[in-house]
Amino acid sequence: MKRNIGWNSILRSTECRQVLAHVAALRKKDEHVYPARKDIFRAYEDCPFEEVRVVILGQDPYFNEGQAIGRAFAVSESTEKLPPSLKNILKEVERDYPRGLMPEQTLESWAKQGVFLLNTTLTVAHGRSNSHANIGWKEAVTIPTLEKLSAGREHLVFILWGVPAKLFEQFLDQRRHLVLKAGHPSRPSLTGFRKCGHFRKANDYLSEHGIEPIIWTIGKADS
């Protein structure tokens, strides 16, 4: 598996290996686990440590077969019906940048620009949301990742949607970075996600600090 050297201290740690061994044991017991083994660390492979510009924190992978690809909120190309969360995220992109075309459902174009699409839990059992929340991912990987980014980088944007994501705010230095919070996109009208303006706010902050903004749409530069 290709891994960026900047993440080695986390992904090759004893704690991470222990969680992976636990997941492997569950698979041997015929538990259907998503995403595929090769995709568990895709978010890390997408974004080298020094190239991260924006972190979008999700909860855990989609739990239906064929959807999860290792990027928070993204789905595979073969997924015919978009999950509500992703549909609502794309609506907010369109609200902030109405002249652009929506990105592909894999969100690959975001990842290539340094948008780190990280779930707080990296695996899930088929049909059971949050089923792997307590097997050690947060302690072994998520918290060390956020702490490393917070301490080792400057002027990042951390986007936290929903209560589970907001719990990780405590690991972020808001004197060095921008933290944006809103309700979860799965039910935007009830949670305050709708009209949060996070995509434009993120770009405004990056631009203010001399950092190239993210092109959230495709086909035309955001403006």
Side-chain angles (χ1 to χ4, degrees), residues 11 18-19 36 39 51 65 74 90-91 97-98 125 130 135 142 146 156 160 165 195 197 208 222:
L11 302 186
Q18 288 173 342
V19 179
D39 292 328
E51 295 179 16
E65 185 175 359
L90 296 182
K91 287 179 182 178
Y97 296 102
N130 223 23
I135 68 171
T142 312
L146 295 175
L156 299 181
L160 313 180
K195 296 184 180 181
E208 287 170 7
D222 295 338

Side-chain angles (χ1 to χ4, degrees), residues 187-206:
R187 304 180 71 189
S189 62
L190 300 178
T191 65
F193 175 78
R194 191 168 182 265
K195 296 184 180 181
C196 65
H198 282 180
F199 301 100
R200 188 170 286 278
K201 289 176 182 177
N203 276 353
D204 288 347
Y205 177 84
L206 294 174

Side-chain angles (χ1 to χ4, degrees), residues 34-114:
Y34 306 129
R37 174 68 179 84
K38 65 181 178 62
D39 292 328
I40 290 176
F41 297 115
R42 174 175 277 190
Y44 291 85
E45 295 166 9
D46 287 338
C47 294
F49 175 75
E50 294 295 341
E51 295 179 16
V52 174
R53 285 188 274 169
V54 176
V55 179
I56 297 180
L57 200 60
Q59 180 174 290
D60 61 344
Y62 296 118
F63 56 73
N64 293 319
E65 185 175 359
Q67 289 186 324
I69 58 173
R71 296 183 188 123
F73 297 109
V75 292
S76 65
E77 293 179 347
S78 62
T79 300
E80 296 182 359
K81 184 177 180 180
L82 297 188
S85 294
L86 181 55
K87 287 176 64 176
N88 291 320
I89 288 168
L90 296 182
K91 287 179 182 178
E92 288 308 306
V93 172
E94 186 175 21
R95 195 185 308 278
D96 280 359
Y97 296 102
R99 292 192 298 169
L101 300 175
M102 289 305 95
E104 66 290 336
Q105 62 197 46
T106 63
L107 302 182
E108 183 176 359
S109 63
W110 292 6
K112 286 183 175 180
Q113 296 178 77

Side-chain angles (χ1 to χ4, degrees), residues 135-180:
I135 68 171
W137 282 122
K138 296 170 186 175
E139 297 78 9
V141 175
T142 312
I143 293 172
T145 295
L146 295 175
E147 290 179 332
K148 183 178 178 70
L149 284 167
S150 182
R153 297 288 310 281
E154 295 280 353
H155 306 310
L156 299 181
V157 179
F158 292 88
I159 297 178
L160 313 180
W161 292 327
V163 173
K166 292 176 186 176
L167 294 176
F168 291 85
E169 181 182 6
Q170 62 184 301
F171 303 107
L172 307 175
D173 186 348
Q174 297 190 46
R175 297 166 299 179
R176 298 162 63 108
H177 309 286
L178 175 64
V179 177
L180 299 173

